[in-house]
Amino acid sequence: MNEKNLVAKVLFDALSGDLTLEQIEKLLEKPKSSELGDIAFPAFSLAKTRRKAPQIIAQEIVENIDTTGFEKVLATGPYINFFLDKPLVATNVINEIVEKENFYADQAIGNGTNVTIDMSSPNIAKPFSIGHLRSTVIGDSLANIYQKIGYNPVRINHLGDWGKQFGMLITAYKLWGDEKAVQAHPIDELLKLYVRINAEAETNPQLDEDARAWFRKLEDGDKEALALWKWFRDESLLEFKRIYDKLGVDFDSYNGEAFYNDKMSEILDILGAKNLLKESEGATIVDLEKYNLNPALIKKSDGATLYITRDLAAALYRKRTYDFAKSLYVVGGEQTGHFKQLKAVLTEMGYDWAKDIEHVPFGLVTRDGKKLSTRKGNIIRLEPTIDEAVERALKQINDKNPDLTNKENVAHQVGTGAIKFYDLKTDRTNGYDFNLEEMVSFEGETGPYVQYAHARIRSILRKANYQAQANLTISANDAESWEIVKLLQSFPDIIKRAADKYEPSIIAKYAISLAQAFNKYYAHVRILEENEGLQSRLALANATAIVLKESLRLLGVQAPEEM
């Protein structure tokens, strides 16, 4: 039971049914100053029903409160201020963490049901850029978070391996391509061709028509078109998998758009059987006016299918295959309208599980304030960026700890962790400007800062030859240690909130706060001083390291033992 639950329960018993437990919890506040206690309850909401001044109500309630588990409970004006029994809370929290270690804060909310997570999903034959990073790391972190609360995450990489862009690419390759050059540097050469044809198509409409013709051939199973498409796809996947290995991200499925080619006819049959299809200017649509949405364009006038047709097929396939409790789509905010249409069409088709689909949007990554674009060749390629981040981390490690063993491995953990953490600490719906120097800094609100705090604690524990002990009595009477205890106690709620809001930044910000709290404690307390409080201080440090490491793991970031 956390501190809010404890206070709410005590108040519920004292209020004799005036408010529900849930209502009480929502009213609880954190006082502006620790001198006013740890949790406060404002009595204003009871003034109307009790017909008394809030300060009188507060005083009356305090007289009925069971103060077990509290240092004291005071009425201060219209507020009831609760001062927790610090040694009792600290002892319970620290012992639980030391006993459970990485299983601390595990929850059984999901009961082993599946959550499908559509994430990363880069386009074939294009370089893996920073623009793909957000979906990849947000999706991976959400998978970790949902596993922590009892779900079974299914990571799906819905590759962009179909569509008119392949008509563009085949047209460009037929006009200007060099087989040997593509074999030597596939992604680089394919990118050059893609950028060139998009630039030239702006003044030469025939190229656009040729691209459409080649894509129709591809859809019709033309051997040459299929062979080129498969070549482009295979080469791209080799590069993507190498980058995923560097990021430490893997997938349960690589089924992309092409996988659903033979599954769309069923969708069209269902839509037709339910009389949902309408003709509009030669195209086939589903009218969504009652949802205040634009019509969903199911087939173009030339018969070509669209994203939504494939996403309908994908949604049905995933429900049948995984029977998901939730289906998350970690896709940029610009696709919000598309996912509203997807849910609306599925609802019209009679699938009540459409309500379990959630679009998890995110903001853009920019460079110098400018939007990145593969089509215009303005991208930041991810693989060389990771390599540079690792080099920067290695330089700082050499400056700080030149004798560190396994420096290269630690530098990889720090460099990749820095990029991922910087992305994840940003509120998901906000974007950010890419700044590698700031990301890899060991100072400030960064991944390396949190990793370094963890490594520092592990160093302290090694110096003390620390061995975890069960059922220790923990004193937490100084302000610095009490702040750590309160943060550690809140970890289960932090995880639940991050899951509810699909927001890994809640955990990243929590990790920063915990690292900062420990560094403040470290600056004020002589942890290794030989006296009766030594084991208590070491247990607090150990519990902090455990939770820091687990916080980082939930973000997909490793926690080196030494730095």
Side-chain angles (χ1 to χ4, degrees):
M1 183 181 290
N2 65 34
E3 57 192 38
K4 274 197 168 183
N5 299 145
L6 176 64
V7 170
K9 177 74 170 61
V10 166
L11 279 168
F12 180 75
D13 292 341
L15 286 173
S16 305
D18 284 353
L19 296 169
T20 66
L21 264 173
E22 189 178 354
Q23 287 171 326
I24 294 167
E25 281 203 29
K26 285 183 179 177
L27 289 168
L28 295 178
E29 300 176 4
K30 184 177 180 180
K32 292 178 182 176
S33 164
S34 59
E35 293 174 3
L36 295 172
D38 300 298
I39 296 178
F41 175 78
F44 303 105
S45 59
L46 298 168
K48 191 173 182 181
T49 54
R50 293 202 173 188
R51 299 187 177 186
K52 293 178 183 176
Q55 56 266 36
I56 295 172
I57 297 170
Q59 189 62 54
E60 288 177 350
I61 294 171
V62 165
E63 290 169 8
N64 290 324
I65 281 177
D66 177 2
T67 58
T68 304
F70 299 99
E71 186 181 296
K72 56 187 173 182
V73 181
L74 302 175
T76 309
Y79 286 89
I80 302 170
N81 294 325
F82 293 82
F83 296 76
L84 295 168
D85 183 332
K86 294 179 176 61
L88 178 64
V89 173
T91 296
N92 290 340
V93 171
I94 302 303
N95 281 311
E96 184 182 357
I97 295 169
V98 171
E99 178 191 345
K100 292 182 177 177
E101 292 193 326
N102 297 332
F103 298 106
Y104 174 63
D106 280 11
Q107 296 162 62
I109 296 165
N111 292 315
T113 54
N114 290 330
V115 173
T116 57
I117 305 176
D118 186 315
M119 53 183 275
S120 197
S121 309
N123 287 324
I124 290 297
K126 296 180 187 177
F128 200 111
S129 75
I130 287 296
H132 302 110
L133 181 70
R134 298 219 73 188
S135 176
T136 306
V137 299
I138 292 170
D140 188 52
S141 180
L142 288 175
N144 294 332
I145 291 165
Y146 270 86
Q147 189 169 41
K148 185 78 173 171
I149 63 168
Y151 288 91
N152 176 47
V154 181
R155 295 169 172 86
I156 298 173
N157 197 336
H158 186 77
L159 295 166
D161 60 0
W162 205 249
K164 184 198 154 192
Q165 70 265 30
F166 287 97
M168 297 288 278
L169 204 52
I170 293 170
T171 302
Y173 179 75
K174 295 289 288 181
L175 285 171
W176 312 301
D178 180 329
E179 184 177 353
K180 288 183 179 177
V182 173
Q183 285 174 338
H185 303 287
I187 298 297
D188 288 340
E189 289 301 316
L190 293 173
L191 175 62
K192 286 178 190 173
L193 291 171
Y194 186 73
V195 171
R196 179 175 177 181
I197 195 166
N198 274 286
E200 297 204 12
E202 289 182 7
T203 55
N204 184 356
Q206 185 58 45
L207 289 175
D208 207 55
E209 288 301 314
D210 293 345
R212 290 177 192 278
W214 268 110
F215 181 54
R216 278 196 295 275
K217 284 185 179 183
L218 190 57
E219 287 202 302
D220 293 339
D222 178 83
K223 283 186 178 179
E224 183 182 11
L226 277 171
L228 286 170
W229 169 81
K230 187 176 185 304
W231 181 35
F232 298 159
R233 188 183 192 276
D234 290 348
E235 293 291 351
S236 299
L237 266 179
L238 285 173
E239 173 159 312
F240 293 163
K241 285 183 177 178
R242 188 175 66 250
I243 295 168
Y244 290 132
D245 285 345
K246 287 189 175 187
L247 287 172
V249 176
D250 56 18
F251 297 90
D252 300 289
S253 166
Y254 280 92
N255 289 336
E257 292 175 46
F259 178 77
Y260 299 100
N261 278 347
D262 63 352
K263 297 170 179 60
M264 289 183 289
S265 58
E266 183 187 3
I267 296 298
L268 295 171
D269 289 345
I270 296 169
L271 290 169
K274 291 184 176 289
N275 295 316
L276 294 171
L277 296 177
K278 293 184 178 180
E279 291 292 318
S280 175
E281 298 177 10
T284 307
I285 65 160
V286 174
D287 188 348
L288 299 175
E289 188 176 355
K290 75 178 186 182
Y291 297 92
N292 293 317
L293 295 171
N294 291 327
L297 186 56
I298 303 298
K299 280 172 70 175
K300 289 185 180 179
S301 54
D302 62 4
T305 54
L306 286 106
Y307 284 124
I308 197 161
T309 325
R310 293 173 189 283
D311 278 351
L312 290 165
L316 184 55
Y317 175 83
R318 290 171 190 174
K319 184 62 181 177
R320 287 170 175 170
T321 305
Y322 304 111
D323 191 24
F324 55 73
K326 289 177 182 285
S327 182
L328 309 184
Y329 289 79
V330 186
V331 181
E334 66 276 9
Q335 294 296 322
T336 296
H338 169 80
F339 287 104
K340 285 180 179 178
Q341 288 185 326
L342 178 68
K343 289 183 72 167
V345 175
L346 287 168
T347 302
E348 288 295 283
M349 291 169 77
Y351 297 127
D352 62 351
W353 47 263
K355 68 183 184 303
D356 302 322
I357 288 175
E358 290 289 343
H359 176 214
V360 181
F362 53 84
L364 293 171
V365 181
T366 55
R367 176 168 56 183
D368 301 326
K370 295 177 182 174
K371 186 177 176 180
L372 306 174
S373 169
T374 307
R375 186 175 295 179
K376 295 180 180 177
N378 173 32
I379 58 171
I380 304 171
R381 295 184 66 159
L382 186 56
E383 190 169 24
T385 302
I386 292 171
D387 293 341
E388 186 182 342
V390 171
E391 284 175 22
R392 286 173 180 262
L394 183 59
K395 183 179 184 305
Q396 291 183 83
I397 289 167
N398 279 326
D399 290 343
K400 287 177 176 286
N401 191 359
D403 299 324
L404 177 66
T405 55
N406 207 12
K407 281 188 286 193
E408 286 74 16
N409 186 45
V410 173
H412 178 79
Q413 293 178 356
V414 173
T416 55
I419 291 172
K420 294 166 86 170
F421 190 95
Y422 195 90
D423 188 295
L424 292 169
K425 77 166 186 177
T426 306
D427 288 1
R428 175 171 48 78
T429 53
N430 294 339
Y432 65 88
D433 207 58
F434 189 82
N435 184 330
L436 192 59
E437 184 176 353
E438 195 174 304
M439 289 177 176
V440 191
S441 172
F442 280 46
E443 304 296 330
E445 298 182 349
T446 67
Y449 173 82
V450 177
Q451 288 172 314
Y452 192 68
H454 171 267
R456 168 180 275 166
I457 298 171
R458 291 298 182 202
S459 174
I460 292 167
L461 297 173
R462 282 192 299 273
K463 282 180 188 174
N465 293 314
Y466 173 73
Q467 296 293 322
Q469 298 179 30
N471 302 317
L472 273 176
T473 299
I474 309 294
S475 59
N477 292 318
D478 59 276
E480 289 79 17
S481 62
W482 181 234
E483 186 59 32
I484 292 172
V485 169
K486 287 195 291 183
L487 283 166
L488 295 175
Q489 188 188 37
S490 70
F491 190 44
D493 283 344
I494 290 290
I495 293 167
K496 174 72 165 53
R497 194 150 56 88
D500 289 344
K501 294 180 178 293
Y502 311 112
E503 187 60 90
S505 70
I506 290 171
I507 290 174
K509 289 169 183 172
Y510 168 84
I512 291 166
S513 296
L514 184 56
Q516 288 172 337
F518 183 82
N519 286 337
K520 189 175 179 183
Y521 175 69
Y522 179 76
H524 284 83
V525 176
R526 297 176 66 183
I527 296 172
L528 293 175
E529 186 175 1
E530 291 281 354
N531 58 28
E532 63 180 5
L534 176 61
Q535 288 305 314
S536 172
R537 294 192 298 274
L538 290 174
L540 177 67
N542 183 41
T544 305
I546 289 168
V547 173
L548 279 176
K549 183 176 182 179
E550 184 63 0
S551 300
L552 289 170
R553 187 192 70 80
L554 292 172
L555 300 171
V557 176
Q558 291 178 287
E561 296 287 306
E562 296 181 79
M563 279 174 67

